[in-house]
């Protein structure tokens, strides 16, 4: 049974909790008032018990009033003790299963304080779980009875057929029997009522005719396995179309019936109508993912969709964001009140949805007067800018609210990027910072994301507020990107890359904070920490894998290279970790050493004397005098990814200027006896061309993205997959 409530008395008005608001206080009210205190009663409003027990009396009017009163007192105590789930379970166990009771109980729980964060949600979840368990127990009893009947049929066919027929005809759940060829043979009364059909409508139809568009492939895969005799049963939630075109949601259990030789003979389907429960769950899910004021997807739904896009987008896909903030909205709230402000937000949401909906873009409200537009299929910056124009145009005309003609504009931060070049959190932060550039320019305009300006804004904030104490708080961590031989694809080295797990901005890459740390001098303590951590990890690999352990590369900035303490820092890191000096390579930029008389050159010479090797990162992007190579104690060069492009099958390497530069630098490195590493190796074709040109090592997403030490160790334990 789905409800234990008798029909409400015709014409009887009912207030909250099912009580007549005009009725004078009666014995029930007095008993609620005089009821003994329950644990936690001091935390509830004075009228909570009366309202709660009144609600139960309305839906349990056919039961003993004293038992209903006692149940109400007991479950009210559970709720006020912070155990709304236990109260829901107790009510379902006492046959209070009417969905309308759940709706009114959830509404009442939203109005009272509780020791839990979301008593209404916990109550609804426990109610659904208890109701499901109750139904499953009933269903299991039916299945057990059916199984008993099947076994007895083998011993006494006529007796078992009688029992099964009685169970079949009078069962509360829908039961249908079909052949293993998929033909529907018979159905009981409950199933016919569920489908709004007659036996003539169903008899002879194929089970496969009952496909619904929302069926998952797993449902029909399981069905094919069952009728083939590969499984005995399966369960799932499945929708069906009724004869009148309406949809009924069911919990379906299909079992295979075999003959005395074990061959599949029949299939038996048992269907429980869960339409009310499904719609309740959908309603609760909608409330959890949509803004209650505007009806738009909320922050949680937006980030869920954005993360799903990043996880499923094909290589090379682009996306766009328009971060929207209303201009002068605070003035409306302060002068006309929040009620007017709320009406204005509803009107704005309607205009934005009307403008962006036909374009297929997702519009969400993040909170306050902030909205965001997600362009999942963005062909370029022009698409994102076009969406921003649509936003501004939709708000061009004033909005009439309660006789007030309100001119409301908006500022829009526009971001367009390739999916693989940024994280979801960083993308939203970048669009938000871009928005404030539009605000600073006077509002009522859009501004396009600029990486340099964004990085400067992030740096100013993070360095000034968090970075001095971030090391003490353990907010930094290292990831390692593999560097592999282009000859045999084996792992030869790793580059240690620092990350900052910022509590407000999420995970930041080195480009977002290292330049500011370099300017402020904070790079010195941060650099010491990076050296210690990287050397410790390299030593652990060396002890574990011996000669297969990779060389560890650590980046050194210009300020570090000019600091005489760098030699002591490196020496201490090597001594404390036990890492062999030859297994540590320091990567310097071209701007680090300016010439033979620069202070940094003496520091670098001292490091090489300790056995540490040096390589120049981003070679070819910073120097104007290649003669400096003669004076530096280098072991290798790294080519920047800007020189590396996807090979054009229609052009040779000699015809491509970028690849001609690579060829020249390869010859230079070979002449000087230096190991040449190419960054930006994204495909097998690039790796093969670099190998053919004489490049030694490769680094890029083809070999692996920066990752944790544990994940990187898989490259040490297995053959390369490339």
């Amino acid at each position: 049974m789905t409800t234990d409530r008798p029909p409400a008395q015709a014409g009887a008005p009912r207030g909250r909790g099912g009580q007549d608001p005009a009725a004078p206080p009666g014995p029930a009210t007095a008993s609620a008032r005089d009821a003994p205190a329950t644990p936690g009663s001091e935390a509830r409003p004075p009228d909570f018990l009366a309202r709660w027990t009144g609600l139960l009396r309305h839906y349990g009017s056919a039961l003993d009033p004293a038992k209903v009163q006692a149940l109400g007192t007991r479950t009210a105590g559970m709720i006020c003790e912070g155990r709304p789930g236990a109260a829901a379970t107790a009510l379902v166990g006492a046959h209070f299963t009417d969905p309308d009771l759940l709706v009114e109980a959830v509404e009442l729980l939203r109005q009272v304080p509780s020791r839990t964060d979301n008593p209404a949600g916990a109550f609804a979840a426990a109610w659904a779980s208890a109701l499901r368990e109750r139904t499953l127990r009933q269903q299991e009893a039916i299945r057990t009875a059916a199984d008993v009947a099947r076994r007895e049929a083998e011993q006494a066919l006529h007796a078992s057929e009688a029992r099964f027929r009685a169970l079949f005809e009078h069962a509360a759940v829908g039961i249908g029997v079909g052949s293993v060829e998929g033909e529907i043979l018979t159905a009981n009364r409950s199933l016919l009522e569920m489908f709004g059909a007659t036996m003539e409508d169903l008899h002879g139809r194929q089970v496969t005719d009952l496909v619904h568009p929302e069926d998952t492939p797993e449902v029909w895969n399981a069905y094919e396995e069952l009728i083939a005799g590969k499984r005995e049963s399966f369960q799932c939630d499945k929708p069906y179309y009724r004869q009148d075109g309406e949809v009924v949601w069911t919990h379906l259990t299909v079992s295979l019936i075999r003959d005395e030789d074990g061959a599949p003979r029949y299939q038996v389907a048992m269907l429980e109508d869960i339409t009310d429960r499904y719609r309740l769950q959908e309603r609760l899910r909608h409330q959890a993912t949509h803004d209650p004021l505007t009806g738009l997807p909320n922050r949680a739904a937006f980030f869920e969709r954005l993360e799903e896009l990043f996880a499923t987008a094909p290589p090379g896909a682009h996306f766009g964001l328009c971060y929207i903030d209303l201009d002068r909205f605070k003035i409306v709230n302060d002068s006309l009140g929040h009620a007017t402000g709320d009406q204005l937000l509803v009107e704005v949401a309607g205009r934005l949805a009307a403008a962006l909906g036909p374009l297929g873009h997702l519009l969400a409200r993040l909170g306050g007067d902030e909205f965001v537009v997600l362009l999942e299929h963005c062909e370029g910056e022009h698409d994102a800018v076009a969406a921003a124009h649509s936003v501004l145009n939709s708000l061009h005309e004033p909005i009439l609210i309660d006789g007030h003609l309100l001119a409301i504009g908006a500022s829009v931060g526009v971001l367009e990027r390739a999916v693989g070049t940024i994280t979801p959190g960083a993308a939203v932060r970048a669009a938000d910072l871009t928005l404030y550039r539009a605000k600073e320019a006077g509002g009522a305009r859009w501004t396009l994301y600029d990486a340099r300006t964004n990085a400067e804004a992030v740096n100013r904030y993070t360095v000034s507020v968090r970075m001095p104490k971030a090391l003490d708080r353990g907010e930094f961590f290292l990831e390692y990107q593999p560097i592999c031989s282009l000859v045999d694809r084996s792992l030869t080295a790793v580059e240690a890359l620092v990350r900052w797990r910022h509590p407000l901005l999420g995970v930041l890459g080195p480009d977002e904070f290292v330049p500011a740390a370099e300017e402020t001098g904070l790079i010195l303590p941060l650099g010491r920490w990076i050296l210690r951590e990287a050397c410790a990890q390299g030593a652990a690999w060396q002890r574990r894998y011996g000669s297969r352990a990779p060389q560890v590369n650590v980046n050194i900035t210009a300020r570090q290279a000019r600091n005489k303490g760098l030699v002591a820092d490196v020496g201490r890191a090597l001594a404390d970790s036990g890492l062999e000096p030859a297994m540590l390579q320091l990567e310097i930029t071209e701007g680090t050493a300016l010439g033979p008389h620069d202070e940094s050159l003496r520091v670098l010479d001292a490091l090489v004397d300790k056995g540490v090797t040096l390589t120049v990162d981003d070679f070819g992007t910073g120097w104007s005098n290649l003669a400096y190579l003669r004076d530096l104690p280098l072991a290798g060069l790294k080519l920047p990814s800007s020189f590396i492009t996807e090979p054009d099958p229609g052009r040779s390497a000699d015809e491509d200027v970028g690849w001609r530069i690579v060829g020249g630098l390869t010859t230079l490195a070979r002449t000087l006896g230096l190991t040449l590493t190419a960054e930006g190796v994204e495909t097998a074709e690039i790796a093969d061309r670099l190998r053919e040109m004489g490049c030694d090592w490769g680094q890029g997403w083809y070999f692996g993205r920066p990752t944790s030490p544990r994940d990187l160790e898989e490259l040490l334990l297995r053959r390369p997959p490339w």
Side-chain angles (χ1 to χ4, degrees):
M1 58 188 297
T2 59
T3 176
D4 300 323
R5 183 184 68 167
Q9 184 176 351
R14 180 164 59 89
R16 187 181 302 278
Q19 294 176 326
D20 183 352
T29 304
S31 63
R33 182 174 59 249
D34 300 332
T38 58
S41 59
E42 68 282 2
R44 66 171 179 259
D47 63 337
F48 172 68
L49 180 57
R51 293 168 62 187
W52 183 257
T53 54
L55 180 63
L56 298 189
R57 280 199 302 275
H58 173 73
Y59 286 94
S61 58
L63 303 178
D64 184 351
K67 292 183 179 180
V68 174
Q69 178 67 32
L71 178 64
T73 302
R74 180 161 59 90
T75 53
M78 294 176 182
I79 291 169
C80 295
E81 290 172 0
R83 298 187 297 129
T89 303
L91 289 180
V92 173
H95 307 290
F96 284 78
T97 59
D98 193 313
D100 292 338
L101 170 59
L102 174 59
V103 173
E104 293 192 35
V106 168
E107 180 62 25
L108 177 56
L109 290 178
R110 286 177 176 160
Q111 302 172 18
V112 299
S114 173
R115 296 180 181 177
T116 58
D117 290 338
N118 186 6
F123 182 90
W127 173 288
S129 177
L131 191 60
R132 172 67 175 258
E133 290 295 325
R134 180 180 182 220
T135 303
L136 289 177
R137 286 195 297 272
Q138 293 177 341
Q139 182 175 307
E140 185 61 27
I142 295 173
R143 290 183 60 196
T144 301
D147 189 56
V148 169
R150 179 175 61 85
R151 289 196 303 269
E152 291 180 352
E154 297 171 355
Q155 302 173 2
L157 179 60
H158 297 294
S160 64
E161 285 182 348
R163 293 190 187 95
F164 181 78
R165 178 56 59 185
L167 175 65
F168 181 80
E169 291 296 340
H170 301 290
V173 298
I175 302 177
V177 179
S179 67
V180 291
E181 289 77 22
E183 182 182 358
I184 299 175
L185 302 177
T186 186
N188 72 347
R189 182 175 53 196
S190 295
L191 182 61
L192 295 176
E193 292 175 353
M194 191 181 302
F195 279 25
T198 65
M199 193 61 241
E200 289 73 19
D201 295 326
L202 295 181
H203 183 73
R205 291 185 63 184
Q206 290 291 313
V207 173
T208 51
D209 293 341
L210 305 179
V211 173
H212 188 277
E214 294 189 34
D215 289 342
T216 62
E218 291 78 9
V219 172
W220 293 101
N221 290 340
Y223 174 76
E224 293 295 335
E225 292 177 359
L226 180 129
I227 61 177
K230 297 179 181 179
R231 63 191 306 165
E232 297 302 313
S233 64
F234 71 89
Q235 296 183 4
C236 64
D237 289 345
K238 179 183 173 355
Y240 291 95
Y241 285 115
R242 287 169 45 90
Q243 286 295 106
D244 58 9
E246 293 293 323
V247 175
V248 57
W249 274 88
T250 69
H251 180 70
L252 170 67
T253 300
V254 184
S255 300
L256 185 66
I257 305 298
R258 298 179 183 271
D259 61 19
E260 58 273 12
D261 297 325
R265 183 70 179 275
Y266 300 109
Q267 52 176 309
V268 176
M270 291 187 288
L271 292 80
E272 172 204 352
D273 187 344
I274 61 169
T275 303
D276 290 340
R277 186 169 75 231
Y278 176 81
R279 289 174 178 168
L280 174 62
Q281 291 172 345
E282 286 296 299
R283 198 156 57 241
L284 293 174
R285 187 180 299 113
H286 185 274
Q287 291 175 359
T289 57
H290 286 73
D291 174 42
L293 179 64
T294 63
L296 294 176
N298 61 13
R299 176 183 290 271
F302 167 74
F303 275 99
E304 180 181 349
R305 182 68 196 105
L306 184 62
E307 290 170 359
E308 181 183 351
L309 170 64
F310 273 61
T312 59
H318 283 237
F319 74 102
L321 288 179
C322 292
Y323 204 114
I324 306 164
D325 186 86
L326 301 184
D327 298 333
R328 301 178 299 279
F329 180 74
K330 186 176 184 301
I331 298 175
V332 175
N333 266 347
D334 292 344
S335 59
L336 301 178
H338 289 275
T340 301
D342 286 347
Q343 294 181 56
L344 178 60
L345 288 174
V346 172
E347 291 295 328
V348 167
R351 288 195 180 186
L352 293 177
L356 299 167
L359 302 177
H361 305 326
L362 172 67
L363 171 67
R365 182 188 177 205
L366 298 186
D369 61 336
E370 293 183 343
F371 299 83
V372 66
V373 181
L374 172 61
L375 291 77
E376 298 188 26
H377 307 288
C378 192
E379 298 297 331
E381 288 182 352
H382 60 280
D383 278 358
V385 170
H389 278 297
S390 297
V391 168
L392 297 178
N393 291 337
S394 68
L395 302 178
H396 181 71
E397 295 296 328
I399 299 175
L400 183 63
I401 304 290
D402 290 338
H404 302 284
L405 198 60
L406 304 177
I408 189 75
S411 300
V412 186
V414 181
L415 170 75
E416 184 275 333
R417 294 290 297 276
V419 171
T421 62
I422 196 169
T423 64
V428 176
R429 290 195 304 271
D432 191 12
L433 289 172
T434 304
L435 159 71
Y436 282 97
R437 288 171 46 213
K439 284 280 189 185
E440 292 170 356
R445 68 191 66 210
W446 58 268
T447 302
L448 193 61
Y449 168 79
D450 176 72
R452 181 182 60 81
T453 305
N454 180 74
E456 291 174 355
V458 172
N459 287 338
R460 287 196 301 270
Y461 176 78
T462 55
V463 172
S464 62
V465 177
R466 293 286 307 186
M467 196 169 181
K469 294 293 183 181
L471 271 175
D472 296 335
R473 296 188 179 103
E475 295 175 3
F476 292 99
F477 66 96
L478 295 183
E479 290 185 332
Y480 298 85
Q481 185 169 24
I483 301 173
C484 297
S485 168
L486 292 173
V487 176
D488 59 8
R489 305 297 202 265
S490 62
L491 180 67
T492 57
V494 295
E495 181 178 356
L497 298 169
V498 64
R499 303 286 189 260
W500 184 357
R501 190 179 288 106
H502 196 284
L504 299 178
L505 302 177
V507 177
L508 303 179
D511 292 343
E512 297 180 276
F513 60 87
V514 167
E518 175 81 348
E519 292 176 6
T520 60
L522 292 170
I523 192 63
L524 298 180
L526 177 60
R528 282 192 289 270
W529 178 85
I530 294 172
L531 277 169
R532 289 197 304 269
E533 291 292 313
C535 288
Q537 183 60 64
W541 282 329
Q542 194 173 9
R543 289 190 295 271
R544 191 174 304 156
Y545 300 109
S547 61
R548 289 189 298 152
Q551 169 187 287
V552 178
N553 289 19
V554 177
N555 291 280
I556 299 298
T557 68
R559 183 183 285 266
Q560 288 177 277
R562 292 187 176 96
N563 177 32
K564 295 179 180 179
L566 177 62
V567 178
D569 291 341
V570 171
R572 190 176 302 110
L574 292 172
D576 292 345
S577 65
L579 180 67
E580 294 180 10
M583 297 298 290
L584 174 64
Q585 184 167 91
L586 302 181
E587 295 189 11
I588 59 176
T589 60
E590 293 187 57
T592 299
L594 301 179
H597 304 295
D598 190 87
E599 180 66 29
S600 63
L601 183 58
R602 286 188 286 273
V603 173
L604 297 177
D605 281 330
L607 289 171
V608 172
D609 290 342
K610 284 183 172 292
V612 175
T613 59
L614 300 177
T615 188
V616 175
D617 194 12
D618 290 337
F619 180 74
T621 61
W623 275 352
S624 60
N625 189 350
L626 295 179
Y628 292 145
L629 286 174
R630 179 189 56 200
D631 302 314
L632 287 171
L634 297 176
L637 303 175
K638 292 186 76 173
L639 298 179
S641 58
S642 58
F643 290 163
I644 310 299
T645 59
E646 188 70 29
D648 185 349
R651 303 172 64 185
S652 67
D654 292 338
E655 295 174 319
D656 190 309
V657 175
W659 284 100
R660 289 168 62 188
I661 295 175
V662 172
L665 294 178
T666 303
T667 302
L668 175 64
R670 188 183 301 112
T671 301
L672 297 175
L674 303 178
T675 299
L676 186 63
T677 302
E679 296 179 315
V681 181
E682 310 298 338
T683 65
E685 290 76 15
I686 292 177
D688 290 341
R689 175 165 288 190
L690 288 168
R691 175 181 52 79
E692 293 168 359
M693 297 179 72
C695 190
D696 302 298
W697 294 352
Q699 179 179 358
W701 285 5
Y702 172 63
F703 295 112
R705 302 189 182 194
T707 187
S708 66
R710 174 177 295 181
D711 292 339
L712 186 68
E713 287 187 20
E714 293 186 9
L715 295 175
L716 299 172
L717 299 175
R718 58 178 169 81
R719 297 180 62 185
W722 308 283

